[in-house]
Structures are given as C-alpha cells and as structure tokens.
Amino acid sequence: MVTKDQAAERLAGMHYTIESGLSQVFRVHGPADRETRPDEPIKLLEVNDNTVPLGIMPIQFGPDPARGLFYSSIIIEVTPHELREILGRRLELPNGWELGEEIPRPADAEA
C-alpha cells in the first residue's frame, strides 16, 4: 500500500504536469492525531499564477484507485499574493490546518 506521503507526492506531480501556471505545491497538515488516520484526506495548497484570488476555498475529492490515488484529497488553490498573506499570517487556513513542507516539481513535469 502506498503511504499518504507517497500519494501526496504523486498527486502533486500529476497536478504539476496538467496545471498551467502551477508554481508551488505545499502539504497542509491538521492536528497530528487526525493526520495519522487513514481516512484523513491528503491536503495540498497549490500556488497558481493563473487562478483568481478567492481566498481559502478547500475543494474535496474522493479517492481515485484507477489512477493510483487511494486517499481522498483536499486542494486549496491560491495566487502567489494569497500565499504571501498566508505566510504573513494575514490569511488563515481553516480547521487548525498549518502550511507544511513544499513538494518540489518532479523533473519529468514541464515548467
């Protein structure tokens, strides 16, 4: 079985490949006791130059085993300016979530 970390990297890699304007992807983490649960979704914050500034709008997706994604996911797409607002603590993530580590663009995903 693929770990949640591996699945998050796979999902981010897929999004880097298909999302025009995607410049950065970060993991988003909730409280530790929830993150270890297998039913807790993978949460990604995606910074996209081509999106419009709408604030924090998490969108949830179910698992997609046919594509090798066995966990549900939540995607939050923001502009570069909104990322700066999050980093400066002027814009907050919901549910006690915190911005985690950046998932780098895979070498095989075009910029």
Side-chain angles (χ1 to χ4, degrees):
M1 181 72 167
V2 175
T3 68
K4 216 184 264 192
D5 289 339
Q6 291 168 326
E9 288 180 15
R10 177 176 170 78
L11 182 59
M14 291 168 66
H15 286 199
Y16 274 123
T17 301
I18 61 173
E19 288 286 333
S20 173
L22 191 61
S23 60
Q24 292 177 283
V25 176
F26 295 88
R27 285 289 299 271
V28 173
H29 299 288
D33 62 323
R34 295 220 25 105
E35 287 299 323
T36 57
R37 294 175 48 179
D39 62 335
E40 180 68 12
I42 294 167
K43 295 174 283 302
L44 299 179
L45 182 125
E46 299 184 346
V47 183
N48 192 323
D49 294 327
N50 296 335
T51 197
V52 294
L54 296 174
I56 305 299
M57 294 184 59
I59 300 173
Q60 187 158 359
F61 299 89
D64 189 353
R67 292 192 178 164
L69 300 171
F70 299 97
Y71 299 94
S72 62
S73 60
I74 295 175
I75 306 299
I76 305 165
E77 189 170 84
V78 298
T79 66
H81 175 75
E82 289 171 319
L83 174 63
R84 289 189 295 276
E85 294 289 302
I86 291 167
L87 293 172
R89 303 262 184 213
R90 293 178 295 278
L91 187 59
E92 293 186 17
L93 298 172
N95 305 318
W97 296 347
E98 293 288 332
L99 196 60
E101 66 280 4
E102 182 174 356
I103 300 174
R105 178 184 301 276
D108 60 348
E110 292 183 24

